[in-house]
Amino acid sequence: MLELLNDQLIKSAKMKTCIYFVILLVVLSGCQNNNFIKNNSRAAPLDDNEGYLGMVFNSLDPLSNIEIVNSTTAKSFYIGGANKGTSLKLLNLVEGEYCLHGFDVYNLRVDFKGEGFCTYIEPGELNYFNTFIVRDPVTVAMSDFNGFVKMMANQHSNICLEYIGEKCNQ
Amino acid sequence: MKQKSLFTLLFITQLIFANDSNVSCEKADTFFPYKAGVIAEKSSEVKAFAIYCNLALKGDYRSQNKLARYYFTGIPNELEPDKISAYVWSKLSISVIKSKKKEAFFKNMKNQLSESEILDAETLFKLIINTIPSGYRIDGQYKPLDLSDFLNQQQNQIKTGTRIKTKKSIRALNSINLP
């Protein structure tokens, strides 16, 4: 009798653990940014009001918690970090104006004055924002479209061919 | 001198592009970003045209493409369709930043032009490409940065051993935008 009770207690404890684990997974998947496109992944087709936002970071230090803000809805998107050197970030976003608001460098939070760097995302397009040269004490935004296309061709060849075209094969 | 010649060319292009329509590309004193054009499109296409036109002359490739679409279709009672102007602005918009969608629009438009119209448009394009830039995204106005403030901040740094203490921590950094 005692053994049976003990078995039931163990079973219920196991069930509880499983339920907590499932809840944890659900919470964690909610925290994941669905707008971020992983390298060479087959991205879902864009909706009519969506466009891609591509940007390059050139930094001497690793960056984390890069924050993009939709200036109309004030919704923040944390798109992860960027390693030391040059990194490409690609997101799919709803049409509108978005601003690069800030990021963390080591344990220092950098927030740009005002809204930061802003651009308008055109729907149905691969919008190249800029190449951000992150240096202490300023960040400079420069347009290097050829460099961006090379990185796109390496890391997101399908999207590159679909939205930029032949230049991705050069 | 350089500025004078630029304004002369702008005047010529305005003459070419205005084309007996009520809408013309007038140089505005107030700055409007690309977003303002998108918002204006919903209420007044004439206002949107003026905003896009000013940005297109400064090199915003998205505005150049919008202008091409306006010239291609026209604005009822305001702007007559002008396929040559549409061709020129469209080709300019894809001269630096490549886009399959914009290129498809250009090809579609080109197919609707006669050979002599294409020749005229190409002549005009050669004139325009040397005077009007392309490939920029103009979404804001950036003030020139005075780096002397940062130099002063750095001079105020106090070094103590391996740690560097600043009197004022740099939390909000300035940003500059280069074309």
Side-chain angles (χ1 to χ4, degrees):
Chain A
M1 186 69 183
L2 269 173
E3 273 181 10
L4 196 70
L5 194 69
N6 201 18
D7 276 357
Q8 276 182 342
L9 278 172
I10 290 168
K11 269 182 189 174
S12 69
K14 276 181 182 174
M15 278 290 283
K16 270 185 185 173
T17 316
C18 279
I19 289 164
Y20 289 142
F21 187 67
V22 169
I23 291 168
L24 186 71
L25 279 179
V26 170
V27 169
L28 284 176
S29 66
C31 295
Q32 193 191 350
N33 191 340
N34 293 324
N35 302 84
F36 183 67
I37 317 280
K38 286 178 184 169
N39 284 7
N40 274 323
S41 60
R42 276 238 168 249
L46 291 175
D47 286 343
D48 289 345
N49 64 341
E50 283 182 340
Y52 285 113
L53 172 67
M55 61 177 102
V56 177
F57 287 91
N58 178 320
S59 176
L60 297 178
D61 303 294
L63 310 175
S64 57
N65 293 325
I66 300 169
E67 187 187 5
I68 305 282
V69 180
N70 181 327
S71 60
T72 315
T73 61
K75 188 182 173 187
S76 281
F77 298 86
Y78 286 91
I79 59 167
N83 293 330
K84 207 158 76 170
T86 311
S87 337
L88 169 71
K89 291 278 168 193
L90 186 69
L91 300 117
N92 68 328
L93 296 166
V94 173
E95 177 189 10
E97 192 186 50
Y98 292 84
C99 302
L100 171 63
H101 199 256
F103 44 74
D104 289 352
V105 190
Y106 302 112
N107 58 353
L108 180 77
R109 178 70 190 168
V110 174
D111 284 324
F112 293 117
K113 276 182 183 170
E115 288 185 308
F117 295 94
C118 298
T119 195
Y120 194 89
I121 306 294
E122 286 184 288
E125 292 276 5
L126 171 52
N127 298 269
Y128 166 55
F129 192 169
N130 260 320
T131 297
F132 296 98
I133 318 280
V134 182
R135 297 290 184 271
D136 185 13
V138 289
T139 294
V140 178
M142 284 183 71
S143 181
D144 175 17
F145 186 69
N146 291 338
F148 169 70
V149 173
K150 272 183 195 167
M151 291 186 89
M152 277 298 298
N154 281 332
Q155 296 176 30
H156 301 280
S157 50
N158 296 329
I159 296 173
C160 190
L161 279 168
E162 200 178 330
Y163 289 90
I164 294 173
E166 286 170 18
K167 198 174 168 69
C168 299
N169 287 328
Q170 288 167 7
Chain B
M1 189 66 191
K2 218 175 179 183
Q3 205 178 16
K4 198 181 172 185
S5 62
L6 184 69
F7 278 115
T8 317
L9 270 165
L10 283 180
F11 181 69
I12 295 165
T13 50
Q14 275 187 38
L15 274 181
I16 297 161
F17 291 116
N19 214 14
D20 294 338
S21 296
N22 298 331
V23 183
S24 63
C25 190
E26 286 168 16
K27 198 174 177 289
D29 294 328
T30 323
F31 171 79
F32 288 105
Y34 180 79
K35 183 187 172 184
V38 177
I39 294 166
E41 262 185 69
K42 289 162 191 163
S43 57
S44 164
E45 287 192 308
V46 176
K47 279 183 189 168
F49 179 91
I51 293 168
Y52 288 139
C53 196
N54 274 287
L55 293 172
L57 291 171
K58 286 176 187 162
D60 187 294
Y61 69 96
R62 301 163 300 175
S63 301
Q64 288 165 352
N65 186 260
K66 290 273 187 182
L67 222 53
R69 286 172 190 270
Y70 275 127
Y71 277 116
F72 187 64
T73 55
I75 303 171
N77 305 321
E78 299 289 349
L79 180 75
E80 289 292 316
D82 177 355
K83 283 176 184 165
I84 293 179
S85 301
Y87 179 100
V88 173
W89 281 116
S90 181
K91 192 167 181 183
L92 190 64
S93 77
I94 53 171
S95 59
V96 179
I97 307 287
K98 305 294 174 196
S99 153
K100 255 191 153 179
K101 196 176 167 184
K102 291 184 176 75
E103 277 168 25
F105 171 71
F106 174 71
K107 277 177 191 166
N108 174 40
M109 193 172 45
K110 195 177 177 182
N111 289 338
Q112 296 184 35
L113 262 69
S114 66
E115 273 186 29
S116 65
E117 281 176 323
I118 292 173
L119 271 175
D120 287 348
E122 281 294 333
T123 316
L124 199 58
F125 176 73
K126 278 172 195 160
L127 177 79
I128 298 297
I129 198 163
N130 293 321
T131 49
I132 301 174
S134 185
Y136 303 145
R137 294 174 80 88
I138 304 173
D139 292 287
Q141 271 185 319
Y142 291 87
K143 288 176 190 169
L145 188 64
D146 184 10
L147 284 169
S148 60
D149 285 348
F150 293 108
L151 186 69
N152 288 336
Q153 262 186 343
Q154 283 202 324
Q155 282 172 346
N156 285 339
Q157 282 180 345
I158 306 160
K159 292 179 183 175
T160 54
T162 52
R163 292 181 66 197
I164 300 170
K165 281 183 181 173
T166 51
K167 281 177 182 168
K168 190 184 167 190
S169 66
I170 310 167
R171 289 190 68 81
L173 299 188
N174 268 338
S175 53
I176 47 175
N177 200 355
L178 299 177

